[in-house]
Amino acid sequence: MTSTTKRLEASKTKKGFITPKTAPYIFVLPALLLFLAFTVYPIIASFLLSFQTRISGVYSFTGLDNYIRLFSDPVFYKALGNTFIILLVQVPVMLFLAVILAVLLQSKLLNMKGFYRVSFFTPAITSLVAASIIFILLLNTDYGLVNYILTSIGMERVPWLSNGLWAKISLIMVTTWRWTGYNMVILLAGLQNIPHDLYEAASIDGASSIKKFFHITIPQLKPVLLFCFVLSTIGSFQLFDEPYNLTGGGPNNATLTITYYLYNQGFGYFDFGYASAIAYVIVLFIAVLSWLQFKVVKE
Amino acid sequence: MKKQYFSVFLITVMVLLLTACSGSGESAADVSIPQNPEDVEGDVTVWAWALEANYLEKDVLPAFEEKYPNVNVTIEHIGVDQVYQKVSAGLSSGGSGLPDVVQVENNRIHSFTDEFPDAFTNLSELGYDEHEDEFAEAKIAGLKDSDGNIIAMPRDLGPVAVLYRTDIFEEAGVDPASIETWNDYIAAGKKVLEQTGKYFLGTDGDGILRIMMQQQGSYYFDEDGKLDISSDAGEKAANILQQMKDSELITYTNNWDGQVAAMKNGEVATHPGAVWWSGTMIEQMPELAGKWDMFKLPAFEEGGTRASNDGGSALAIPSESDNKAAAYVFAEFATTDVDSQIKALTNRGLFPALTAAYEEPVFSEEQEYFNNQPFFKKFADIVPEIPAVNHDGAELEVRSVMGSEIEAFLLDDKPALEMLTEGEKQAVQQTGKETTE
């Protein structure tokens, strides 16, 4: 400690640059520079880029052209619609499942809790490319295990990935498979924070476990649930790997998500100006939706 | 005061960081290719994927190194998407980090040169023009810039014909020689469906539409790069597709794997496709050996063109390469050496664009897998007939639009003609291009 201050003082007398006052700034400088170069700069640059169009290799400002194009682009609306459908169906289903699983895992009657927790959480850390390949095999119309089971109990084959509606359903299933465990772990942490006396008091008053669930667990979990909702909303707007690997956005754009569309424009067709405009519209949507969710929960 | 110094310092560092990346390549005009192979020296890095990367590394490199002992070539195997992403990122940042030679598909070349006009070295200036006559015309026409200079060296080609199952045709009593027009093809398909209950063909995208349009010398774009989807040629193709669908001859196969599965399990009797399907067929459906053969693409009217092309790639030299002479001799060797082209065909199933290679005996050999026919010779015979078309820079966007439209046509019963008009409208919206008319 003292040697450090001495050194600092010594350097102060020598150069007058590193003083106890400036030292903290110098220490955070590397991190700050990286933050500026890799976070702040891209944010500003892509914002500026969203007002530019590249004409034969040169970017020039074209005002709101990209945004005007965006709002008259049927594929963008389709991607937006797909994203909202997935969001509205998948997130409630997933969070419902996550709550149930979390409560069950909290139960004193259950053995091998660690095993179940790991099992449900594993999909969240599995490589999605590997997982998608497995799902492509499972859901294959002709050879897939799922259809094999369906046909062997006398049902029709389902065109899981080759029909617009079923492709969406498949996508929702895979997303749910992947993220339920993740939300479950967060909710589990929330459950453990609920004071036990609340349940004891309710038991003394003769409340059933269902009553306890709806009148203690859910209200107490509200802030955690909100957190999960906001995270899942953002996650849905960023949904990319699953449709990219599973369906390629098809058939007929039925599983094209908004981030996938952004990717196509940017890295498929090198239209970075338009892609940036899409990115900023996504940001806007996420901001508005998160604000709405906070608003709804607060009242 | 101190704070001000500090922010000045910060800004300086930022500016330095951001301007640090810019490369410097030699201009093509300054490069001369030494006559003596031993005088060419330097390091060459190549980006390529899958079969082409294997070809360059295993078939070309040993022979090349013998001839050019002082050139040190490194082949980097990179996935196709990664190659394109890295190339576009490299070009965006002024050419830094790009290799000396890169594999590019014909239909991608112009999406780079539209965005970055000086992306690739002008090969005509380096003398590649002397080889121009050695290649299929349809291939090399697509590798020139607007001034007629060659900007990429032609490698493989995808002449298209109809691959068909001999056993199913026999069972249905259809003689492939009798199929000369698309109407004959549909009639044969109905017979097959009636006799065997099998679909006649499957499709997973807009490939079939492009094949049929190119066959008529037309494409999604005209020569000036204007959109020309709902052209006469487009309508003729759409009408044929509509008839196929109305007669339930065509099935939607979802994707590449679905298409392979449909061919493998005998769901479809034919497949209008490029010669490079042969590699996939031999590898993935060996049990069907002897049961496949080909006949020429049906014409739209009697005596009409019976050839088209699907796919194929080329080798380009990014302008920022610092070792253009060595890069040039390597790419030149890999594209014009006949022995290497033959190895590409026999070892990898890559069909050369170099027409001189077609004279080699291996082309006329009878292929056991393909009904003991001189399969490659039959494809080589098609090559001179392939009409050249314009692969515009916006090709990928338009293909994606038309791919979706074909899916709407097959899955949602959208009329084929509507698919063309709506596809064109959407292509205008997506690309900002004008249409002809």
Side-chain angles (χ1 to χ4, degrees):
Chain A
M1 275 295 267
T2 46
S3 69
T4 322
T5 23
K6 257 182 206 161
R7 216 179 299 145
L8 280 174
E9 270 163 14
S11 60
K12 187 187 174 186
T13 48
K14 259 187 226 159
K15 287 179 193 163
F17 188 60
I18 305 177
T19 64
K21 253 191 175 172
T22 59
Y25 294 102
I26 291 165
F27 287 140
V28 297
L29 185 66
L32 183 70
L33 283 180
L34 291 174
F35 174 73
L36 287 174
F38 293 107
T39 306
V40 177
Y41 171 71
I43 289 175
I44 296 169
S46 68
F47 185 67
L48 294 176
L49 204 55
S50 74
F51 296 103
Q52 297 175 43
T53 305
R54 186 158 49 189
I55 300 153
S56 58
V58 186
Y59 277 109
S60 50
F61 278 93
T62 46
L64 287 172
D65 271 12
N66 283 328
Y67 290 93
I68 292 166
R69 179 182 157 194
L70 192 60
F71 287 107
S72 54
D73 180 350
V75 184
F76 169 72
Y77 284 111
K78 186 145 194 194
L80 196 65
N82 289 340
T83 307
F84 267 104
I85 290 172
I86 291 165
L87 176 75
L88 291 176
V89 177
Q90 194 263 335
V91 172
V93 168
M94 175 181 68
L95 289 182
F96 177 74
L97 285 175
V99 171
I100 303 274
L101 284 176
V103 171
L104 288 178
L105 278 180
Q106 179 80 343
S107 155
K108 288 195 187 84
L109 301 169
L110 193 74
N111 289 324
M112 288 168 57
K113 280 183 190 156
F115 171 74
Y116 288 114
R117 279 181 208 177
V118 170
S119 308
F120 284 116
F121 189 70
T122 309
I125 49 166
T126 308
S127 153
L128 250 184
V129 177
S132 297
I133 291 170
I134 304 285
F135 273 103
I136 288 173
L137 293 175
L138 285 176
L139 297 175
N140 186 299
T141 309
D142 298 314
Y143 306 115
L145 182 70
V146 178
N147 273 356
Y148 174 76
I149 294 170
L150 287 181
T151 46
S152 57
I153 58 167
M155 290 170 77
E156 289 263 315
R157 278 170 204 270
V158 174
W160 290 108
L161 299 175
S162 52
N163 168 290
L165 178 66
W166 285 109
K168 264 194 205 92
I169 293 172
S170 303
L171 193 60
I172 287 172
M173 290 193 319
V174 174
T175 326
T176 308
W177 168 82
R178 184 167 168 80
W179 294 113
T180 304
Y182 180 81
N183 287 294
M184 179 200 78
V185 169
I186 298 174
L187 288 166
L188 207 53
L191 279 179
Q192 280 161 358
N193 274 336
I194 302 175
H196 205 72
D197 358 342
L198 289 175
Y199 290 103
E200 276 172 9
S203 300
I204 292 165
D205 290 343
S208 67
S209 17
I210 290 178
K211 268 223 160 109
K212 277 191 259 178
F213 177 74
F214 282 108
H215 292 281
I216 302 172
T217 311
I218 294 292
Q220 289 285 320
L221 268 185
K222 219 165 134 187
V224 185
L225 269 174
L226 172 70
F227 177 71
C228 289
F229 250 111
V230 174
L231 273 193
S232 306
T233 306
I234 295 171
S236 296
F237 268 90
Q238 295 177 340
L239 195 62
F240 171 77
D241 311 48
E242 288 90 344
Y244 180 83
N245 289 307
L246 214 56
T247 57
N252 194 13
N253 293 334
T255 53
L256 186 77
T257 60
I258 191 160
T259 326
Y260 197 167
Y261 191 50
L262 184 159
Y263 169 85
N264 273 347
Q265 291 295 338
F267 297 98
Y269 317 137
F270 311 135
D271 199 344
F272 291 110
Y274 193 45
S276 299
I278 299 173
Y280 269 87
V281 171
I282 298 179
V283 168
L284 198 74
F285 268 108
I286 292 178
V288 169
L289 281 174
S290 305
W291 178 79
L292 267 178
Q293 283 165 343
F294 275 105
K295 198 90 179 154
V296 167
V297 174
K298 271 213 178 119
E299 49 86 20
Chain B
M1 280 299 274
K2 257 180 192 166
K3 256 187 190 161
Q4 274 174 359
Y5 284 125
F6 196 64
S7 34
V8 168
F9 170 68
L10 263 186
I11 289 165
T12 319
V13 171
M14 285 289 298
V15 169
L16 283 176
L17 263 179
L18 297 174
T19 52
C21 28
S22 58
S24 66
E26 12 174 35
S27 118
D30 308 334
V31 179
S32 61
I33 314 293
Q35 284 298 312
N36 183 358
E38 306 213 342
D39 293 344
V40 190
E41 44 191 50
D43 295 329
V44 176
T45 313
V46 183
W47 287 354
W49 62 84
L51 298 171
E52 182 72 9
N54 287 335
Y55 160 70
L56 293 174
E57 186 169 4
K58 296 186 181 131
D59 300 339
V60 174
L61 207 48
F64 173 78
E65 276 172 343
E66 223 163 82
K67 191 174 174 194
Y68 293 91
N70 299 320
V71 179
N72 179 25
V73 182
T74 317
I75 313 284
E76 293 187 16
H77 292 245
I78 309 177
V80 49
D81 289 345
Q82 280 73 32
V83 168
Y84 290 138
Q85 274 167 28
K86 288 175 81 158
V87 169
S88 74
L91 292 172
S92 306
S93 62
S96 61
L98 288 179
D100 302 295
V101 176
V102 62
Q103 179 188 359
V104 188
E105 286 158 291
N106 269 48
N107 55 46
R108 278 276 191 159
I109 294 271
H110 291 113
S111 67
F112 286 117
T113 52
D114 275 13
E115 295 287 340
F116 310 98
D118 301 320
F120 301 124
T121 306
N122 179 344
L123 301 172
S124 294
E125 269 179 36
L126 293 178
Y128 203 77
D129 280 352
E130 62 168 306
H131 299 296
E132 190 174 342
D133 300 340
E134 299 164 26
F135 294 101
E137 199 204 326
K139 176 78 183 183
I140 200 139
L143 300 176
K144 291 179 177 173
D145 66 9
S146 49
D147 301 326
N149 294 309
I150 300 171
I151 48 169
M153 305 188 191
R155 259 291 298 132
D156 64 319
L157 191 66
V160 171
V162 179
L163 305 162
Y164 75 98
R165 283 282 293 272
T166 50
D167 53 338
I168 297 178
F169 269 52
E170 244 165 63
E171 192 188 334
V174 176
D175 176 16
S178 69
I179 300 175
E180 283 180 9
T181 64
W182 282 107
N183 286 331
D184 298 341
Y185 179 81
I186 290 171
K190 285 180 182 163
K191 219 168 161 186
V192 165
L193 180 70
E194 221 170 81
Q195 299 291 323
T196 67
K198 289 178 188 303
Y199 289 110
F200 207 45
L201 75 162
T203 185
D204 67 313
D206 66 328
I208 180 101
L209 181 64
R210 280 185 282 121
I211 286 170
M212 290 167 106
M213 286 179 79
Q214 174 164 12
Q215 180 189 7
Q216 303 171 71
S218 172
Y219 204 59
Y220 291 163
F221 310 96
D222 70 359
E223 293 130 42
D224 307 322
K226 285 185 179 169
L227 286 165
D228 198 17
I229 301 170
S230 58
S231 57
D232 284 349
E235 280 177 19
K236 275 186 191 167
N239 278 329
I240 296 292
L241 287 171
Q242 186 73 57
Q243 285 178 50
M244 289 182 193
K245 180 162 180 269
D246 292 343
S247 321
E248 293 175 12
L249 301 181
I250 191 166
T251 175
Y252 173 61
T253 53
N254 197 24
N255 53 25
W256 170 268
D257 293 332
Q259 180 63 40
V260 172
M263 289 164 76
K264 188 178 166 74
N265 60 20
E267 204 180 322
V268 295
T270 75
H271 177 56
V275 63
W276 40 256
W277 271 97
S278 62
T280 306
M281 289 157 75
I282 292 169
E283 197 174 283
Q284 302 206 24
M285 32 195 117
E287 73 280 7
L288 295 177
K291 292 185 178 165
W292 286 102
D293 199 350
M294 66 82 104
F295 57 86
K296 280 170 131 190
L297 211 57
F300 275 87
E301 52 270 314
E302 253 166 82
T305 311
R306 299 186 66 178
S308 189
N309 182 68
D310 185 19
S313 63
L315 298 175
I317 301 176
S319 299
E320 292 299 316
S321 164
D322 284 328
N323 210 338
K324 288 205 172 76
Y328 179 86
V329 294
F330 176 71
E332 185 190 39
F333 187 86
T335 52
T336 57
D337 179 58
V338 173
D339 286 348
S340 300
Q341 308 300 314
I342 298 301
K343 284 180 189 156
L345 181 75
T346 50
N347 298 351
R348 327 262 164 224
L350 294 169
F351 198 87
L354 189 75
T355 47
Y358 304 161
E359 306 304 324
E360 296 296 304
V362 62
F363 269 84
S364 318
E365 270 171 25
E366 290 168 358
Q367 303 290 321
E368 202 190 326
Y369 189 96
F370 295 99
N371 201 19
N372 287 314
Q373 293 289 310
F375 186 71
F376 295 120
K377 180 80 187 132
K378 284 172 148 185
F379 273 99
D381 290 344
I382 297 173
V383 170
E385 272 188 68
I386 300 172
V389 293
N390 179 17
H391 291 280
D392 188 83
E395 164 140 355
L396 292 176
E397 281 141 295
V398 178
R399 270 169 69 165
S400 149
V401 167
M402 294 313 293
S404 292
E405 288 295 323
I406 285 268
E407 286 167 352
F409 157 69
L410 288 171
L411 297 171
D412 305 337
D413 290 325
K414 185 183 251 189
L417 287 174
E418 211 171 280
M419 153 186 105
L420 289 184
T421 48
E422 279 184 23
E424 187 166 74
K425 220 169 36 188
Q426 230 185 78
V428 169
Q429 210 278 329
Q430 286 279 308
T431 62
K433 278 184 169 291
E434 290 170 43
T435 57
T436 51
E437 279 126 13

